[in-house]
Amino acid sequence: MSESIDIVILTFNEEKNIEACLQSVSKLNAKIFIVDSGSTDRTLAICEPYNTHVFHHPFENYASQRNWALQNLPLEAEWTLNIDADHRVTEALANELTDLFSHDIDTGVNGFLISRQTLFMDKWIKHGGHYPTYHANLFRKGFGHCEEKLYDQHFVVTGKTNILKNDIIDIITDSVNTFIVRHNHWATLEAQYLFAQQTQTTGNNTSLIKPKLLGNPMERRRYMKKQYESLPLFIRPVFYFMIRYFIRLGFLDGTRGFIFHFLQGFWFRFLIDVKLYELRRSKKQQTL
């Protein structure tokens, strides 16, 4: 390939996922860097035959781990692709990237937005506004970083980005129990972040994606999220689910789609509001 690429994958006890992930990127002829945060299962043993470069770093949070990797790994390629162990680069995307990097890329382009196909209970969730959802997983070395947020972190690219046609598959969970445990944890992080935003003077954080109605897909999505956050607690999850499931046609995803849209679009959002309410109530009691 004319343009070179490095791949960075974060792992922690990913023996169920890592081999399929590595197989999906094998066509890209790229150096693969594994940043492991203390796996105790067979994750690293599975990585060995794939000639990966393994580094160890304690996990603090997702953003810190990603940024540590970008700042400390011996990345040499012009471009960096960031994925998780439960991601799969589709064959179509691998072919698109191979073609893309077979010639020089416009020097004015510093990143590419890639959409994700969310798989829940082995079903692709296509409706409810959940697809396409873009992330800036691929950018020139030195031109991207991960937002310093506890939850819903995105990569921020300095400069122009283009949109790729094909997708990354995101296997969002291996079971409903795992989904609930993870989302309960993420709800706590999101509530803490929102509470801090509302109670502290944080100033203009240039490291975050800016909400823009007429911006790129990530900026538009961030704009819509800001509108959602301006609505009253407990009311907004109801509105969001109704819009997502009925107006944005989430019901077309069938039974598994209903389970996903209800859990992720209502239960999870409602849980965030409950935890945020709890934080506000605790602070109010402390001031009495």
Side-chain angles (χ1 to χ4, degrees):
M1 292 192 291
S2 178
E3 300 265 2
S4 57
I5 182 172
D6 288 329
I7 299 174
V8 179
I9 306 174
L10 305 187
T11 59
F12 174 70
N13 288 346
E14 291 286 358
E15 64 180 7
K16 293 181 180 179
N17 285 309
I18 190 61
E19 186 156 26
C21 176
L22 293 171
Q23 289 175 348
S24 77
V25 300
S26 60
K27 287 186 62 175
L28 296 178
N29 192 30
K31 280 189 177 180
I32 302 174
F33 294 85
I34 303 293
V35 180
D36 188 75
S37 52
S39 291
T40 56
D41 63 2
R42 296 184 58 253
T43 296
L44 300 184
I46 294 170
C47 290
E48 287 182 7
Y50 292 88
N51 195 30
T52 56
H53 304 268
V54 178
F55 293 79
H56 303 272
H57 189 259
F59 188 86
E60 181 181 350
N61 59 59
Y62 183 88
S64 296
Q65 194 78 338
R66 278 293 179 199
N67 289 325
W68 181 90
L70 294 172
Q71 295 163 10
N72 292 277
L73 295 180
L75 304 174
E76 298 178 350
E78 180 71 16
W79 294 85
T80 305
L81 175 64
N82 300 271
I83 59 176
D84 294 335
D86 55 4
H87 290 168
R88 311 286 182 263
V89 172
T90 61
E91 184 175 356
L93 177 58
N95 291 335
E96 183 179 8
L97 291 173
T98 299
D99 180 64
L100 177 69
F101 289 111
S102 66
H103 52 78
D104 293 335
I105 297 171
D106 184 348
T107 56
V109 176
N110 287 334
F112 292 92
L113 306 186
I114 306 174
S115 185
R116 291 184 187 175
Q117 296 180 18
T118 296
L119 259 63
F120 179 78
M121 291 184 170
D122 299 320
K123 180 178 179 60
W124 177 13
I125 306 299
K126 297 181 182 180
H127 304 285
H130 201 71
Y131 179 85
T133 300
Y134 290 94
H135 296 263
N137 298 71
L138 177 62
F139 45 78
R140 287 188 191 272
K141 180 183 176 182
F143 286 88
H145 70 273
C146 187
E147 294 179 295
E148 289 291 347
K149 293 182 64 183
L150 295 176
Y151 171 72
D152 192 32
Q153 311 91 343
H154 287 253
F155 289 103
V156 182
V157 175
T158 302
K160 181 181 177 182
T161 58
N162 286 343
I163 298 175
L164 296 181
K165 296 178 181 179
N166 296 290
D167 306 325
I168 287 174
I169 295 173
D170 182 4
I171 303 175
I172 197 167
T173 185
D174 59 354
S175 69
V176 173
N177 184 61
T178 301
F179 180 96
I180 291 173
V181 170
R182 287 181 177 177
H183 281 72
N184 179 52
H185 174 63
W186 293 337
T188 299
L189 298 180
E190 180 73 347
Q192 290 172 347
Y193 176 78
L194 292 174
F195 182 72
Q197 291 291 104
Q198 296 165 6
T199 58
Q200 300 174 10
T201 303
T202 56
N204 185 26
N205 193 337
T206 58
S207 69
L208 301 180
I209 293 173
K210 301 305 175 186
K212 292 182 182 179
L213 179 59
L214 300 179
N216 65 37
M218 293 194 308
E219 292 168 336
R220 291 198 299 271
R221 197 171 188 90
R222 188 58 57 85
Y223 174 84
M224 297 306 297
K225 185 175 181 181
K226 295 297 290 186
Q227 303 310 303
Y228 170 86
E229 290 170 356
S230 69
L231 298 174
L233 294 185
F234 309 123
I235 301 298
R236 56 194 187 184
V238 178
F239 285 157
Y240 179 60
F241 174 74
M242 297 293 285
I243 291 172
R244 180 164 153 173
Y245 193 69
F246 294 104
I247 297 177
R248 300 298 300 274
L249 307 181
F251 62 86
L252 293 179
D253 287 318
T255 301
R256 284 171 289 175
F258 170 74
I259 296 170
F260 175 79
H261 290 301
F262 182 84
L263 288 178
Q264 205 271 345
F266 176 75
W267 172 79
F268 174 55
R269 303 294 167 184
F270 189 84
L271 187 60
I272 291 171
D273 282 3
V274 172
K275 291 175 182 282
L276 181 55
Y277 172 79
E278 187 176 45
L279 290 170
R280 290 177 179 177
R281 184 169 177 269
S282 177
K283 181 176 177 61
K284 185 177 181 181
Q285 290 177 338
Q286 291 174 8
T287 60
L288 295 178

